[in-house]
Amino acid sequence: MAGPAVSIRDVAAQAGVSVGTVSNVLNRPDIVAASTRNRVLAVINELGFVPNDAARQLRRGRGRTLGLVVLDVANPFFTDVARGVEDATGEAGMAVIFCNSDGDQARESRYLDLLEEQRVQGVLITPVDDANERLVRLRDRGVLVVLLDRRSTRADVCSVSVDDRLGGELAMRHLIEAGHRRIAFVGGPWGLEQVRDRYEGARHALREAGLAEEHLRRFETASPTVAAGRDAASRILGLPRSARATAVFCANDLLALGVLQELTRQQVRVPEDIALVGYDDIDFAAAAAVPLSSVRQPRQRLGRTAAQLLLEEANEPERHRHQQVVFEPELVVRESSRYARPAD
């Protein structure tokens, strides 16, 4: 059975020095005479003393933790983003508190309150609404904030995002060049900026090709999930064959996988009857029954870059310059859309 934990007072008594001297050895060893420092370190080793880093950091004002708040922990996109965050923070000796807002503003606010109570150094967040005044108050109270997968409209807040309009253009241009003229866009909820940007990019590609708006029909979903994708596919297939889309562009891969499931269930061939393109290029995309074309985002790089910006601002505030980093997506073409459609 383990005995009581060794305290800093035990170390001081055994080494014949004050508690303050032990504290200096741990925090400011350069100001302690070498002989004294070595004696204290020997006692620390002998007694097996473990410094309470959390308490020490809290006394300084902030802990060695960051908060990560994402929209949907079940979405593999955010799992990969979190891995990038963890890689960067782990190298810096930091820990991450992972929070799932589930796209709910009230839940997001509760997590932000909790993270502030925990005295985290900063928060990386994909906000439900980037106009949330709660984020401004966090910064005013000394908690650093970096927007993740969302571009900041404020010059004093760093952000890391992807050019989603370009991503929408890439997907739409690919489908138009393959001969499709009846294309469905599946995405939602519409309050998400990423969804709107991907749709606007698709519309831009349509205009560039000299095609009318009627060639693109929007099917909004309540959530960006597999189940919502199945429901959207059912609505698409419920249209008369003459009006039915011959291609579907989904705002994320989970929706696209749901669309693929329903098309397969109803014995609709992909891509011969309906071509399909997703967004994010999660690992499941390439492993689908029909490998899924998708607009690739640098998921882990997004997370790592956001964490690095926050750590830089925390550790070198005098040198730090706020940045809005925007990565370019790329289209990965696989079997789900690799088909040149004959002219109608």
Side-chain angles (χ1 to χ4, degrees):
M1 186 172 180
V6 177
S7 73
I8 192 170
R9 294 183 183 279
D10 297 327
V11 174
Q14 179 93 352
V17 298
S18 69
V19 170
T21 298
V22 178
S23 179
N24 285 335
V25 169
L26 294 171
N27 298 299
R28 297 184 293 169
D30 54 300
I31 70 171
V32 182
S35 58
T36 303
R37 184 171 66 244
N38 291 336
R39 186 166 78 252
V40 171
L41 290 174
V43 171
I44 286 174
N45 185 58
E46 178 187 343
L47 298 180
F49 171 67
V50 178
N52 188 340
D53 184 69
R56 192 162 72 244
Q57 291 297 328
L58 287 176
R59 283 194 294 273
R60 293 176 183 174
R62 293 287 167 193
R64 293 189 61 77
T65 54
L66 302 180
L68 172 60
V69 185
V70 301
L71 292 173
D72 182 8
V73 70
N75 188 333
F77 168 79
F78 288 112
T79 305
D80 290 340
V81 168
R83 177 61 183 271
V85 170
E86 186 181 44
D87 287 347
T89 54
E91 292 167 5
M94 305 283 288
V96 181
I97 300 174
F98 196 12
C99 306
N100 175 39
S101 72
D102 209 24
D104 182 274
Q105 185 84 65
R107 183 168 175 166
E108 176 186 275
S109 293
R110 288 196 298 272
Y111 274 127
L112 292 177
D113 289 341
L114 176 63
L115 292 171
E116 186 176 8
E117 290 171 8
Q118 293 297 313
R119 297 191 182 183
V120 295
Q121 283 202 357
V123 173
L124 306 169
I125 183 170
T126 306
V128 176
D129 179 4
D130 56 355
N132 186 353
E133 286 299 314
R134 186 70 184 76
L135 298 176
V136 177
R137 292 203 303 273
L138 271 183
R139 286 188 58 82
D140 291 344
R141 293 174 184 173
V143 181
L144 305 180
V145 174
V146 174
L147 300 189
L148 180 54
D149 195 34
R150 187 72 58 83
R151 187 164 187 172
S152 175
T153 57
R154 295 171 55 102
D156 61 343
V157 176
C158 286
S159 65
V160 181
S161 62
V162 172
D163 188 342
D164 283 317
R165 293 199 176 208
L166 174 60
E169 287 181 37
L170 293 174
M172 191 67 171
R173 196 177 300 142
H174 166 63
L175 294 173
I176 291 171
E177 290 174 353
H180 296 282
R181 295 297 181 268
R182 297 194 304 275
I183 302 170
F185 176 85
V186 173
W190 206 245
L192 291 179
E193 181 181 346
Q194 296 96 320
V195 174
R196 298 195 305 272
D197 283 350
R198 292 164 197 181
Y199 178 68
E200 287 305 317
R203 292 179 65 203
H204 181 74
L206 200 70
R207 291 192 296 270
E208 277 196 332
L211 298 174
E213 294 278 338
E214 63 192 35
H215 291 282
L216 178 64
R217 181 167 180 175
R218 191 175 90 197
F219 290 80
E220 189 173 342
T221 63
S223 62
T225 61
V226 172
R230 288 195 296 264
D231 175 72
S234 180
R235 283 184 276 154
I236 291 169
L237 294 177
L239 296 173
R241 186 173 293 274
S242 60
R244 183 186 300 173
T246 63
V248 179
F249 169 37
C250 294
N252 80 350
D253 284 341
L254 294 183
L255 287 167
L257 291 170
V259 169
L260 179 61
Q261 285 181 6
E262 184 62 18
L263 295 180
T264 302
R265 191 185 73 81
Q266 297 205 32
Q267 299 182 330
V268 176
R269 299 175 302 165
V270 176
E272 293 85 355
D273 297 328
I274 296 181
L276 182 60
V277 176
Y279 203 107
D280 291 337
D281 197 32
I282 61 176
D283 291 340
F284 294 126
V290 180
L292 184 66
S293 296
S294 186
V295 178
R296 175 179 293 167
Q297 301 198 75
R299 303 178 303 280
Q300 291 192 25
R301 195 175 172 196
L302 276 170
R304 172 180 278 276
T305 303
Q308 287 172 336
L309 286 172
L310 194 149
L311 291 171
E312 178 188 279
E313 185 174 2
N315 297 326
E316 303 178 85
E318 302 84 6
R319 297 177 53 190
H320 179 75
R321 296 292 179 270
H322 294 296
Q323 300 178 54
Q324 282 73 49
V325 179
V326 182
F327 292 110
E328 286 196 359
E330 61 175 311
L331 177 67
V332 180
V333 178
R334 300 190 180 97
E335 280 77 358
S336 71
S337 66
R338 192 176 284 145
Y339 179 75
R341 182 171 181 79
D344 291 334

